[in-house]
Amino acid sequence: RDRRRAMLAIVACAAAFTTPRALRNAPIAAALRSVPTAAAACSEEVLEQLWASARRPLLRIGKAGAAQSHANGLLDLCSSHPAVSVRLTGPSTQASLDGLLEILDVPDESQRLTLLATRKPRKGGVEALFSQVGRSEELCSVEYHEAQATAAALAAENEAADAITYREAREARAVRQGGRLDKA
């Protein structure tokens, strides 16, 4: 409680010295919530790789805002995926994000999520990238992304080798079947 009151005092001081437009665009909501944010620990390069790995939003929150069902879905998705992209649309996207973060503010450490980053896509709205608290440090490391790239290259190489093997097996089977047709 004392931490939250101190944060509110800081926000109040900041609000007194900023214009309404700057206040609206400032990440004040981050100071008001207790959901940890790992965006500062991630470099720009790592954030680009994280956004690239989360190709499309797996969860969408519309103009009605976030509900408990959205939070439950996000918890399930984060348990299955390293990072989950959430698209918030509607006239009050920041309010929807704040509402989702308030719902996600749970005392159970195993269910806590980290807001890694936000961005504004060309289509409008806001996209937020979430992960589990325990995974955020791993996701923000360059080594993790290098290992992922190496694994993807190896998988592509194995898939190409399997395709060649499969094509050769099909051709051999066709030759055998052609030989049987000639004997009949």
Side-chain angles (χ1 to χ4, degrees), residues 1-178:
R1 282 187 164 175
D2 293 331
R3 180 178 155 215
R4 185 166 247 167
R5 285 182 185 165
M7 294 305 282
L8 286 173
I10 292 170
V11 169
C13 291
F17 297 103
T18 57
T19 64
R21 181 176 177 92
L23 184 61
R24 185 174 58 232
N25 293 332
I28 290 179
L32 291 173
R33 62 183 173 263
S34 62
V35 176
T37 302
C42 293
S43 68
E44 289 295 321
E45 178 184 337
V46 169
L47 283 176
E48 286 177 24
Q49 291 173 342
L50 281 171
W51 283 114
S53 69
R55 292 184 183 95
R56 61 187 176 89
L58 296 178
L59 182 67
R60 296 176 190 273
I61 298 175
K63 63 183 177 182
Q68 185 64 43
S69 60
H70 292 106
N72 293 340
L74 184 57
L75 285 168
D76 288 342
L77 287 168
C78 284
S79 67
S80 305
H81 301 278
V84 175
S85 177
V86 177
R87 172 161 294 163
L88 299 120
T89 58
S92 58
T93 55
Q94 188 61 41
S96 294
L97 181 60
D98 292 342
L100 178 62
L101 292 171
E102 285 178 21
I103 294 170
L104 290 172
D105 189 15
V106 292
D108 186 9
E109 190 66 32
S110 66
Q111 293 186 343
R112 305 259 334 205
L113 299 180
T114 299
L115 174 63
L116 295 172
T118 59
R119 70 177 179 182
K120 290 187 176 270
R122 285 186 290 154
K123 295 179 182 178
V126 171
E127 285 185 4
L129 196 61
F130 288 91
S131 76
Q132 290 179 333
V133 170
R135 290 185 180 173
S136 60
E137 287 182 27
E138 177 186 12
L139 289 173
C140 288
S141 71
V142 176
E143 294 82 18
Y144 171 82
H145 294 283
E146 289 172 352
Q148 290 293 323
T150 303
L154 183 61
E157 187 178 306
N158 289 339
E159 187 175 326
D162 289 346
I164 291 170
T165 304
Y166 178 69
R167 184 180 46 175
E168 290 171 351
R170 275 195 343 229
E171 290 171 355
R173 186 175 41 224
V175 168
R176 285 193 307 266
Q177 287 177 349

